[in-house]
Coordinates of all heavy atoms in Angstrom, one line a residue:
S25 N -96.0 191.0 84.4 CA -95.6 190.1 83.3 C -96.5 190.0 82.1 O -97.7 189.7 82.3 CB -95.4 188.8 83.8 OG -95.1 187.7 82.9
R26 N -96.0 190.1 80.9 CA -96.8 189.9 79.8 C -97.2 188.4 79.5 O -98.3 188.1 79.1 CB -96.2 190.5 78.6 CG -96.1 192.0 78.5 CD -95.6 192.6 77.2 NE -96.0 193.9 77.0 CZ -97.1 194.4 76.5 NH1 -98.1 193.5 76.2 NH2 -97.4 195.7 76.5
N27 N -96.3 187.5 79.9 CA -96.6 186.1 79.8 C -97.7 185.7 80.8 O -98.5 184.9 80.4 CB -95.4 185.3 80.0 CG -94.3 185.5 78.9 OD1 -93.4 186.3 79.1 ND2 -94.4 184.8 77.8
F28 N -97.6 186.1 82.0 CA -98.5 185.7 83.0 C -99.7 186.7 83.2 O -100.8 186.3 83.8 CB -97.9 185.6 84.4 CG -96.8 184.6 84.5 CD1 -95.5 185.0 84.6 CD2 -97.1 183.3 84.4 CE1 -94.5 184.0 84.6 CE2 -96.1 182.3 84.5 CZ -94.8 182.7 84.6
D29 N -99.7 187.9 82.5 CA -100.6 189.0 82.7 C -100.8 189.2 84.2 O -102.0 189.4 84.6 CB -101.9 188.7 82.1 CG -102.9 189.9 81.9 OD1 -102.2 191.0 81.8 OD2 -104.0 189.7 81.7
S30 N -99.9 189.2 85.0 CA -100.1 189.3 86.4 C -98.7 189.7 87.1 O -97.6 189.4 86.4 CB -100.5 188.1 87.1 OG -100.7 188.1 88.5
N31 N -98.8 190.1 88.3 CA -97.5 190.4 89.1 C -97.3 189.2 90.2 O -96.5 189.4 91.1 CB -97.5 191.8 89.8 CG -98.7 192.1 90.6 OD1 -99.7 191.3 90.5 ND2 -98.8 193.1 91.3
L32 N -98.2 188.3 90.1 CA -98.1 187.2 91.0 C -98.2 185.9 90.2 O -99.0 185.7 89.3 CB -99.4 187.2 92.0 CG -99.6 185.9 92.9 CD1 -98.4 185.9 93.9 CD2 -100.9 186.1 93.7
V33 N -97.2 185.0 90.6 CA -97.2 183.6 89.9 C -97.4 182.6 91.0 O -96.6 182.6 92.0 CB -95.9 183.4 89.2 CG1 -95.9 182.0 88.5 CG2 -95.7 184.5 88.1
L34 N -98.3 181.7 90.9 CA -98.5 180.6 91.9 C -98.3 179.2 91.1 O -99.0 179.0 90.2 CB -99.9 180.7 92.5 CG -100.4 181.9 93.2 CD1 -101.8 182.0 93.6 CD2 -99.4 182.1 94.5
G35 N -97.3 178.6 91.6 CA -96.9 177.3 91.0 C -96.3 176.3 92.0 O -96.1 176.6 93.2
D36 N -96.2 175.1 91.5 CA -95.8 174.0 92.4 C -94.3 174.1 92.7 O -93.6 174.7 91.9 CB -96.1 172.7 91.7 CG -97.7 172.4 91.6 OD1 -98.4 172.9 92.4 OD2 -98.0 171.7 90.6
G37 N -93.8 173.4 93.7 CA -92.5 173.4 94.1 C -92.0 174.5 95.0 O -92.8 175.3 95.4
K38 N -90.6 174.3 95.4 CA -90.3 175.2 96.4 C -89.6 176.4 95.8 O -89.4 177.4 96.6 CB -89.0 174.4 97.2 CG -89.5 173.4 98.1 CD -88.3 172.8 98.8 CE -87.8 173.7 99.8 NZ -86.7 173.2 100.6
R39 N -89.4 176.5 94.6 CA -88.9 177.8 94.1 C -89.7 179.0 94.1 O -90.9 178.9 93.7 CB -88.4 177.5 92.5 CG -87.4 176.5 92.3 CD -87.0 176.4 90.8 NE -86.0 175.3 90.6 CZ -85.0 175.5 89.8 NH1 -84.8 176.7 89.2 NH2 -84.1 174.6 89.6
M40 N -89.0 180.1 94.7 CA -90.0 181.3 94.7 C -89.0 182.5 94.3 O -87.9 182.8 94.8 CB -90.4 181.6 96.0 CG -91.2 182.9 96.2 SD -92.0 183.3 97.8 CE -93.4 182.1 97.6
A41 N -89.4 183.0 93.1 CA -88.6 184.3 92.6 C -89.2 185.6 93.3 O -90.5 185.6 93.4 CB -88.7 184.3 91.1
V42 N -88.4 186.4 93.9 CA -88.8 187.6 94.5 C -88.0 188.9 94.0 O -86.8 188.6 93.9 CB -88.6 187.3 96.1 CG1 -89.2 188.6 96.8 CG2 -89.4 186.2 96.6
E43 N -88.7 189.8 93.8 CA -88.0 191.1 93.5 C -87.7 191.8 95.0 O -88.6 192.0 95.7 CB -88.9 192.0 92.6 CG -88.2 193.4 92.4 CD -89.0 194.2 91.3 OE1 -89.7 193.6 90.4 OE2 -88.8 195.5 91.4
A44 N -86.5 192.0 95.2 CA -85.9 192.4 96.4 C -85.7 194.0 96.4 O -84.6 194.4 95.8 CB -84.6 191.8 96.8
D45 N -86.6 194.7 96.9 CA -86.6 196.1 96.7 C -85.7 196.8 97.7 O -85.9 196.5 99.0 CB -88.0 196.6 96.8 CG -88.2 198.1 96.6 OD1 -87.3 198.7 96.2 OD2 -89.3 198.7 96.7
E46 N -84.8 197.7 97.3 CA -84.0 198.3 98.2 C -84.5 199.6 98.9 O -84.0 200.0 99.9 CB -82.6 198.7 97.6 CG -82.7 200.0 96.7 CD -83.3 199.6 95.3 OE1 -83.6 198.4 95.0 OE2 -83.5 200.6 94.5
F47 N -85.7 200.0 98.4 CA -86.3 201.1 99.0 C -86.7 200.9 100.5 O -87.2 199.9 100.8 CB -87.5 201.6 98.3 CG -88.4 202.6 99.0 CD1 -87.9 203.9 99.1 CD2 -89.6 202.3 99.6 CE1 -88.5 204.9 99.6 CE2 -90.3 203.3 100.3 CZ -89.8 204.6 100.4
D48 N -86.3 201.9 101.5 CA -86.6 201.7 102.8 C -85.9 200.4 103.4 O -86.3 199.8 104.4 CB -87.9 201.6 103.0 CG -88.4 202.0 104.5 OD1 -87.7 202.9 105.1 OD2 -89.3 201.3 105.1
R49 N -84.9 200.0 102.6 CA -84.1 198.8 103.1 C -85.0 197.5 103.2 O -84.7 196.6 104.0 CB -83.4 199.0 104.4 CG -82.3 200.1 104.4 CD -81.7 200.4 105.7 NE -80.5 201.2 105.6 CZ -80.5 202.5 105.5 NH1 -81.8 203.1 105.5 NH2 -79.4 203.3 105.5
S50 N -86.1 197.4 102.6 CA -87.1 196.4 102.6 C -86.4 195.1 102.3 O -86.8 193.9 102.8 CB -88.2 196.6 101.6 OG -88.9 197.8 101.9
F51 N -85.4 194.9 101.3 CA -84.9 193.7 100.9 C -84.0 193.1 102.1 O -83.8 191.9 102.0 CB -83.9 193.9 99.7 CG -82.6 194.8 99.9 CD1 -81.8 194.6 98.8 CD2 -82.6 195.6 100.7 CE1 -80.7 195.5 98.8 CE2 -81.4 196.3 100.8 CZ -80.4 196.3 99.9
L52 N -83.8 193.8 103.2 CA -83.1 193.1 104.2 C -84.0 192.3 105.2 O -83.5 191.7 106.2 CB -82.3 194.3 105.1 CG -81.4 195.1 104.4 CD1 -80.7 196.0 105.3 CD2 -80.4 194.2 103.8
R53 N -85.3 192.1 104.7 CA -86.2 191.3 105.5 C -86.0 189.7 104.7 O -86.6 188.9 105.3 CB -87.6 191.7 105.2 CG -87.9 193.1 105.8 CD -88.0 193.0 107.3 NE -88.4 194.3 107.9 CZ -88.6 194.5 109.2 NH1 -88.5 193.4 110.0 NH2 -88.9 195.7 109.7
L54 N -85.3 189.7 103.7 CA -85.2 188.5 103.0 C -84.0 187.7 103.3 O -82.9 188.4 103.6 CB -85.2 188.7 101.5 CG -86.6 189.4 100.9 CD1 -86.4 189.7 99.5 CD2 -87.7 188.3 101.0
E55 N -84.0 186.4 103.3 CA -82.8 185.5 103.4 C -82.8 184.5 102.3 O -83.2 183.4 102.4 CB -82.9 184.8 104.7 CG -82.8 185.8 106.0 CD -82.9 185.1 107.3 OE1 -83.0 183.9 107.3 OE2 -82.8 185.7 108.4
P56 N -82.3 185.1 101.1 CA -82.3 184.2 100.0 C -81.3 183.1 99.9 O -80.4 182.9 100.6 CB -82.0 185.2 98.8 CG -81.2 186.2 99.5 CD -81.7 186.4 101.0
D57 N -81.7 182.1 99.1 CA -80.7 180.9 98.8 C -79.8 181.3 97.6 O -78.6 180.9 97.7 CB -81.6 179.6 98.4 CG -82.4 179.3 99.6 OD1 -81.9 178.5 100.5 OD2 -83.6 179.5 99.7
V58 N -80.3 182.0 96.6 CA -79.6 182.5 95.6 C -80.0 183.9 95.2 O -81.1 184.2 95.3 CB -79.6 181.6 94.3 CG1 -80.9 181.4 93.8 CG2 -78.7 182.1 93.3
A59 N -79.1 184.9 95.0 CA -79.5 186.3 94.8 C -78.6 186.8 93.6 O -77.5 186.4 93.4 CB -79.2 187.1 96.0
V60 N -79.3 187.8 93.0 CA -78.6 188.5 91.9 C -78.6 190.0 92.4 O -79.5 190.5 93.1 CB -79.3 188.6 90.6 CG1 -79.0 189.8 89.8 CG2 -79.0 187.3 89.8
I61 N -77.5 190.6 92.2 CA -77.3 192.0 92.3 C -76.9 192.7 91.0 O -75.9 192.5 90.4 CB -76.4 192.6 93.4 CG1 -76.8 192.0 94.9 CG2 -76.2 194.2 93.5 CD1 -75.7 192.3 95.9
T62 N -78.0 193.5 90.4 CA -77.8 194.0 89.1 C -77.0 195.3 89.1 O -76.5 195.6 88.1 CB -79.1 194.1 88.4 OG1 -79.8 195.3 89.2 CG2 -79.9 192.9 88.5
S63 N -77.0 196.0 90.3 CA -76.6 197.5 90.3 C -76.7 198.0 91.7 O -77.5 197.4 92.4 CB -77.3 198.4 89.3 OG -78.8 198.2 89.6
A64 N -75.8 198.8 92.0 CA -75.9 199.5 93.3 C -75.6 200.9 93.1 O -74.7 201.4 93.7 CB -74.9 198.7 94.3
D65 N -76.3 201.5 92.4 CA -76.0 203.2 92.0 C -76.7 203.9 93.1 O -77.5 203.5 94.0 CB -76.8 203.4 90.8 CG -76.0 202.6 89.6 OD1 -74.8 202.5 89.6 OD2 -76.7 202.2 88.7
A66 N -76.2 205.2 93.2 CA -76.8 206.1 94.1 C -78.3 206.3 93.8 O -78.6 206.9 92.7 CB -76.1 207.5 94.0
D67 N -79.1 206.0 94.6 CA -80.6 206.2 94.5 C -81.3 206.1 95.8 O -80.7 205.7 96.9 CB -81.2 205.1 93.6 CG -82.5 205.5 93.0 OD1 -83.0 206.7 93.1 OD2 -83.3 204.7 92.3
H68 N -82.5 206.7 95.9 CA -83.3 206.8 97.2 C -82.4 207.3 98.3 O -82.3 207.0 99.4 CB -83.6 205.3 97.7 CG -84.5 204.5 96.7 ND1 -85.7 205.1 96.3 CD2 -84.4 203.3 96.1 CE1 -86.2 204.2 95.5 NE2 -85.4 203.1 95.2
L69 N -81.7 208.5 97.9 CA -80.9 209.2 98.7 C -81.7 209.9 99.9 O -81.0 210.3 100.9 CB -79.8 210.2 98.1 CG -78.9 209.4 97.1 CD1 -78.0 210.5 96.5 CD2 -78.2 208.3 97.7
D70 N -82.9 210.1 99.6 CA -83.8 210.6 100.7 C -83.9 209.6 101.9 O -84.2 210.0 103.0 CB -85.2 211.0 100.1 CG -86.0 209.7 99.5 OD1 -85.1 209.0 98.8 OD2 -87.1 209.5 99.7

């Protein structure tokens, strides 16, 4: 992030924003309260 100059933000409160990576089905380890799906194109077909 250019605003934080970091890929980690540590702040107060319960809110936690997480990038949910579909590679290797990694995002299936998460159980979000609110989620966005921006796209579901053909990728990582390997």
Side-chain angles (χ1 to χ4, degrees):
S25 161
R26 289 187 161 277
N27 291 96
F28 297 111
D29 194 28
S30 180
N31 53 352
L32 173 68
V33 179
L34 297 171
D36 297 330
K38 290 186 64 175
R39 293 182 184 222
M40 178 176 281
V42 178
E43 180 167 329
D45 187 4
E46 76 279 2
F47 173 70
D48 199 37
R49 296 177 171 83
S50 294
F51 62 167
L52 299 184
R53 300 283 183 177
L54 298 172
E55 296 179 358
D57 295 281
V58 58
V60 157
I61 296 177
T62 66
S63 50
D65 296 322
D67 199 6
H68 301 301
L69 297 184
D70 55 322

